[in-house]
Amino acid sequence: MKNTYKFNEPPFGLHDMNLNKIKVDGNDLCLMTQSGMVKTSPPYSQIDGYIEVKNIDWDFCYVYLLDGNGNIGPFSGKKMYLKDFIGSYKVFGFSIYDITYGYNRLKLDGYLTANKCFYECFMEIYHAGDIIFVSE
């Protein structure tokens, strides 16, 4: 079943999910988690599924990686294009602690483990198409 998000309460959430695979199909993106999605309405069940984001604007999609352990104080990090992140990080775990939907924008915040390193991570995805929740 496909549910398209249209500027209201999304039908499913990714909070506390572990994003571990990103597939690119032209200008579309598929975000897959280790354990599916959670319904945002009662009975709040967890189901198998993934998110499709249509018509990505790659020039405005970024990933921010901050070194450190999540504590306050000085930090360092890097900003990269989302496409470069996808090409560089083939095996990763991205534990999502916040997800924000805005006008043509999807923002994921969480902790990333990859290449034996730990980062605080922010992923900004700009798109001109729909966000589609696909339940299996």
Side-chain angles (χ1 to χ4, degrees), residues 2-134:
K2 290 190 176 190
N3 291 289
T4 303
Y5 170 69
K6 292 285 190 183
F7 305 110
N8 55 5
E9 184 66 31
F12 300 99
L14 295 181
H15 188 275
D16 291 336
M17 294 292 129
N18 187 41
L19 179 68
N20 60 356
K21 191 175 218 180
I22 301 174
K23 288 185 181 178
V24 177
D25 182 15
N27 284 330
D28 297 339
L29 203 59
C30 182
L31 305 174
M32 305 171 94
T33 67
Q34 187 175 13
S35 52
M37 308 177 290
V38 176
K39 287 179 63 175
T40 56
S41 59
Y44 305 109
S45 57
Q46 187 169 325
I47 63 160
D48 290 334
Y50 55 91
I51 293 180
E52 294 176 353
V53 185
K54 300 295 187 180
N55 201 10
I56 301 295
D57 189 346
W58 294 105
D59 291 335
F60 298 100
C61 294
Y62 301 102
V63 173
Y64 302 82
L65 299 176
L66 306 180
D67 299 327
N69 58 8
N71 291 327
I72 60 171
F75 62 87
S76 63
K78 60 184 169 181
K79 176 181 178 181
M80 65 177 66
Y81 285 109
L82 176 60
K83 211 157 203 172
D84 293 338
F85 172 85
I86 293 168
S88 298
Y89 292 84
K90 301 291 186 195
V91 178
F92 65 91
F94 181 35
S95 180
I96 300 169
Y97 63 68
D98 193 26
I99 184 166
T100 306
Y101 304 92
Y103 182 73
N104 291 345
R105 180 178 173 209
L106 173 65
K107 185 169 178 274
L108 305 168
D109 302 336
Y111 295 107
L112 179 83
T113 53
N115 302 333
K116 298 182 181 179
C117 295
F118 176 81
Y119 305 95
E120 190 162 2
C121 180
F122 310 102
M123 191 176 293
E124 293 181 338
I125 303 170
Y126 283 85
H127 57 93
D130 291 328
I131 296 175
I132 301 171
F133 296 85
V134 180

